[in-house]
Amino acid sequence: MSAWGDIIESAARFEPVALEHGLHLVTNLRPGVGEAPPRLQVELHDVSLELQMLHVVPVQDGAAWIDALCSLLDVPTEELPHPDRWAPITDEYLEHRLALEDLPLVDDPRGG
C-alpha cells in the first residue's frame, strides 16, 4: 500500500480515540521545497476547533506516527498528558518502537 493509503488507515484507526477525547484529526500534505521531500502535517483540534497540537513528520513515517499518537492518547481523559507534550512524547515513543524493531531476533533459550 502507498504511504498515503497507510496514513488514511491509521487516521481511521485513530478516529475513535480522538472522538473519545473530543478531538478531531486533520492531516495535510506539505509539498517538498527544492530537494526536500513532502511532509505530513498532523493537527489535532478540540470540539471548538481550537488547535491543540500541530506536528510535521516525513510522509513515510506518517502512518506510524499517527499509530504512536493513538497509543499515547488511548487512555482515560484524566490521564492524558498536557497537549504541549503530545508531539514530543509521540516522537520519543516512535523512536523507541523503531529501535526495538531494528534489534536482531534471537532464539528463545526456553525453546518456545
Side-chain angles (χ1 to χ4, degrees), residues 7-110:
I7 290 166
I8 291 169
E9 285 184 4
S10 291
R13 285 190 299 272
F14 183 70
E15 188 174 341
V17 172
L19 290 175
E20 181 179 323
H21 297 300
L23 298 169
H24 178 69
L25 177 72
V26 176
T27 57
N28 293 299
L29 189 60
R30 297 173 88 181
V33 178
E35 294 183 24
R39 310 219 0 119
L40 180 71
Q41 180 172 306
V42 181
E43 302 174 18
L44 278 176
H45 298 265
D46 64 16
V47 292
S48 65
L49 300 181
E50 184 177 333
L51 182 65
Q52 297 296 307
M53 186 206 73
L54 176 115
H55 195 62
V56 178
V57 298
V59 170
Q60 69 271 15
D61 296 338
W65 200 90
I66 292 170
D67 287 340
L69 178 65
C70 184
S71 295
L72 172 70
L73 299 183
D74 193 13
V75 297
T77 301
E78 62 273 4
E79 294 180 22
L80 282 176
H82 190 274
D84 290 348
R85 297 289 304 139
W86 294 348
I89 292 171
T90 301
D91 283 340
E92 291 173 18
Y93 174 76
L94 182 57
E95 182 180 322
H96 287 289
R97 198 180 91 210
L98 293 175
L100 286 172
E101 287 177 4
D102 287 342
L103 291 174
L105 295 176
V106 294
D107 291 331
D108 186 343
R110 296 168 289 173

